[in-house]
Tab-separated table of all heavy atoms in Angstrom:
chain	number	residue	atom	x	y	z
A	1290	VAL	N	-65.995	-7.464	54.029
A	1290	VAL	CA	-65.048	-6.355	53.961
A	1290	VAL	C	-63.600	-6.811	54.139
A	1290	VAL	O	-62.732	-6.519	53.302
A	1290	VAL	CB	-65.391	-5.277	55.012
A	1290	VAL	CG1	-64.389	-4.116	54.906
A	1290	VAL	CG2	-66.809	-4.775	54.816
A	1293	SER	N	-62.180	-8.818	51.257
A	1293	SER	CA	-61.999	-7.961	50.086
A	1293	SER	C	-60.716	-7.156	50.187
A	1293	SER	O	-59.976	-7.008	49.209
A	1293	SER	CB	-63.192	-7.012	49.928
A	1293	SER	OG	-64.383	-7.723	49.684
A	1294	VAL	N	-60.441	-6.645	51.382
A	1294	VAL	CA	-59.225	-5.861	51.610
A	1294	VAL	C	-57.989	-6.739	51.468
A	1294	VAL	O	-57.013	-6.360	50.801
A	1294	VAL	CB	-59.255	-5.193	53.002
A	1294	VAL	CG1	-57.906	-4.548	53.309
A	1294	VAL	CG2	-60.374	-4.168	53.071
A	1300	TRP	N	-53.361	-8.646	45.634
A	1300	TRP	CA	-53.308	-8.419	44.189
A	1300	TRP	C	-52.355	-7.276	43.858
A	1300	TRP	O	-51.536	-7.377	42.937
A	1300	TRP	CB	-54.708	-8.116	43.673
A	1300	TRP	CG	-54.812	-8.087	42.170
A	1300	TRP	CD1	-55.131	-9.109	41.335
A	1300	TRP	CD2	-54.574	-6.938	41.320
A	1300	TRP	NE1	-55.114	-8.693	40.031
A	1300	TRP	CE2	-54.778	-7.378	39.984
A	1300	TRP	CE3	-54.208	-5.623	41.553
A	1300	TRP	CZ2	-54.627	-6.520	38.894
A	1300	TRP	CZ3	-54.058	-4.764	40.470
A	1300	TRP	CH2	-54.267	-5.208	39.164
A	1338	LEU	N	-51.353	-1.490	34.321
A	1338	LEU	CA	-50.478	-2.605	33.970
A	1338	LEU	C	-50.466	-2.830	32.456
A	1338	LEU	O	-49.408	-3.070	31.862
A	1338	LEU	CB	-50.924	-3.882	34.681
A	1338	LEU	CG	-50.788	-3.890	36.212
A	1338	LEU	CD1	-51.414	-5.148	36.798
A	1338	LEU	CD2	-49.325	-3.783	36.632
A	1348	ARG	N	-40.896	1.353	24.031
A	1348	ARG	CA	-39.548	1.784	24.413
A	1348	ARG	C	-38.496	1.014	23.627
A	1348	ARG	O	-37.433	1.546	23.308
A	1348	ARG	CB	-39.327	1.592	25.909
A	1348	ARG	CG	-40.157	2.507	26.792
A	1348	ARG	CD	-39.844	2.318	28.262
A	1348	ARG	NE	-40.776	3.085	29.092
A	1348	ARG	CZ	-41.765	2.551	29.798
A	1348	ARG	NH1	-41.932	1.228	29.806
A	1348	ARG	NH2	-42.574	3.312	30.508
A	1372	LEU	N	-65.944	-5.636	19.349
A	1372	LEU	CA	-65.806	-6.133	17.988
A	1372	LEU	C	-66.725	-7.310	17.708
A	1372	LEU	O	-66.626	-8.355	18.343
A	1372	LEU	CB	-64.354	-6.537	17.722
A	1372	LEU	CG	-63.288	-5.445	17.929
A	1372	LEU	CD1	-61.944	-5.918	17.407
A	1372	LEU	CD2	-63.692	-4.137	17.255
A	1378	LYS	N	-63.625	-8.885	10.492
A	1378	LYS	CA	-63.341	-8.996	9.061
A	1378	LYS	C	-62.657	-7.734	8.539
A	1378	LYS	O	-61.739	-7.805	7.715
A	1378	LYS	CB	-64.640	-9.260	8.292
A	1378	LYS	CG	-65.211	-10.656	8.526
A	1378	LYS	CD	-66.523	-10.860	7.790
A	1378	LYS	CE	-67.077	-12.266	8.060
A	1378	LYS	NZ	-68.391	-12.485	7.411
A	1379	ILE	N	-63.111	-6.587	9.029
A	1379	ILE	CA	-62.476	-5.325	8.625
A	1379	ILE	C	-61.035	-5.289	9.126
A	1379	ILE	O	-60.110	-4.930	8.392
A	1379	ILE	CB	-63.269	-4.125	9.180
A	1379	ILE	CG1	-64.633	-4.021	8.484
A	1379	ILE	CG2	-62.480	-2.821	8.991
A	1379	ILE	CD1	-65.573	-3.009	9.117
A	1382	GLY	N	-58.843	-7.509	7.141
A	1382	GLY	CA	-58.536	-6.898	5.854
A	1382	GLY	C	-57.430	-5.858	5.964
A	1382	GLY	O	-56.533	-5.790	5.118
A	1391	ARG	N	-46.371	-4.502	2.725
A	1391	ARG	CA	-45.227	-4.206	3.612
A	1391	ARG	C	-45.174	-2.721	3.976
A	1391	ARG	O	-44.120	-2.079	3.953
A	1391	ARG	CB	-43.911	-4.637	2.954
A	1391	ARG	CG	-43.820	-6.130	2.700
A	1391	ARG	CD	-42.483	-6.532	2.113
A	1391	ARG	NE	-42.426	-7.963	1.874
A	1391	ARG	CZ	-41.370	-8.604	1.365
A	1391	ARG	NH1	-40.291	-7.902	1.029
A	1391	ARG	NH2	-41.397	-9.910	1.186
A	1406	GLY	N	-52.519	-14.109	12.779
A	1406	GLY	CA	-53.211	-15.389	12.725
A	1406	GLY	C	-54.429	-15.417	13.617
A	1406	GLY	O	-55.483	-15.970	13.249
A	1417	ALA	N	-59.281	-19.687	18.669
A	1417	ALA	CA	-57.897	-19.250	18.700
A	1417	ALA	C	-56.985	-20.390	18.256
A	1417	ALA	O	-57.372	-21.559	18.305
A	1417	ALA	CB	-57.528	-18.803	20.115
A	1418	PRO	N	-55.761	-20.081	17.778
A	1418	PRO	CA	-54.835	-21.127	17.354
A	1418	PRO	C	-54.628	-22.171	18.445
A	1418	PRO	O	-54.660	-21.853	19.633
A	1418	PRO	CB	-53.540	-20.340	17.087
A	1418	PRO	CG	-54.008	-18.966	16.764
A	1418	PRO	CD	-55.215	-18.742	17.622
A	1427	LYS	N	-56.959	-13.693	25.911
A	1427	LYS	CA	-57.419	-12.437	26.506
A	1427	LYS	C	-56.507	-11.279	26.104
A	1427	LYS	O	-56.983	-10.185	25.789
A	1427	LYS	CB	-57.456	-12.567	28.034
A	1427	LYS	CG	-57.970	-11.329	28.743
A	1427	LYS	CD	-57.990	-11.523	30.265
A	1427	LYS	CE	-58.466	-10.268	30.970
A	1427	LYS	NZ	-58.449	-10.439	32.455
A	1438	GLY	N	-59.448	0.524	17.690
A	1438	GLY	CA	-59.711	1.900	18.102
A	1438	GLY	C	-58.660	2.863	17.593
A	1438	GLY	O	-58.964	3.993	17.195
A	1441	VAL	N	-59.274	3.760	14.002
A	1441	VAL	CA	-60.349	4.747	13.922
A	1441	VAL	C	-59.813	6.143	14.220
A	1441	VAL	O	-60.066	7.103	13.477
A	1441	VAL	CB	-61.486	4.391	14.906
A	1441	VAL	CG1	-62.532	5.510	14.951
A	1441	VAL	CG2	-62.149	3.073	14.517
A	1446	ILE	N	-57.454	11.770	12.943
A	1446	ILE	CA	-56.285	12.652	12.973
A	1446	ILE	C	-56.010	13.201	11.570
A	1446	ILE	O	-55.560	14.345	11.413
A	1446	ILE	CB	-55.054	11.891	13.517
A	1446	ILE	CG1	-55.232	11.617	15.008
A	1446	ILE	CG2	-53.767	12.688	13.286
A	1446	ILE	CD1	-54.180	10.715	15.603
A	1450	PRO	N	-63.862	13.016	7.785
A	1450	PRO	CA	-65.134	13.280	8.477
A	1450	PRO	C	-65.588	12.090	9.324
A	1450	PRO	O	-65.408	10.929	8.932
A	1450	PRO	CB	-66.116	13.546	7.319
A	1450	PRO	CG	-65.254	14.051	6.217
A	1450	PRO	CD	-63.961	13.294	6.331
A	1469	GLN	N	-63.287	9.402	20.421
A	1469	GLN	CA	-62.413	10.562	20.245
A	1469	GLN	C	-62.316	11.381	21.534
A	1469	GLN	O	-61.223	11.790	21.949
A	1469	GLN	CB	-62.931	11.430	19.096
A	1469	GLN	CG	-62.004	12.592	18.735
A	1469	GLN	CD	-62.514	13.345	17.518
A	1469	GLN	OE1	-63.702	13.292	17.194
A	1469	GLN	NE2	-61.625	14.030	16.845
Side-chain angles (χ1 to χ4, degrees):
V1290 181
S1293 296
V1294 172
W1300 189 92
L1338 294 173
R1348 292 183 187 106
L1372 303 190
K1378 290 178 181 177
I1379 291 171
R1391 297 183 180 180
K1427 182 180 178 182
V1441 173
I1446 290 172
Q1469 186 175 22

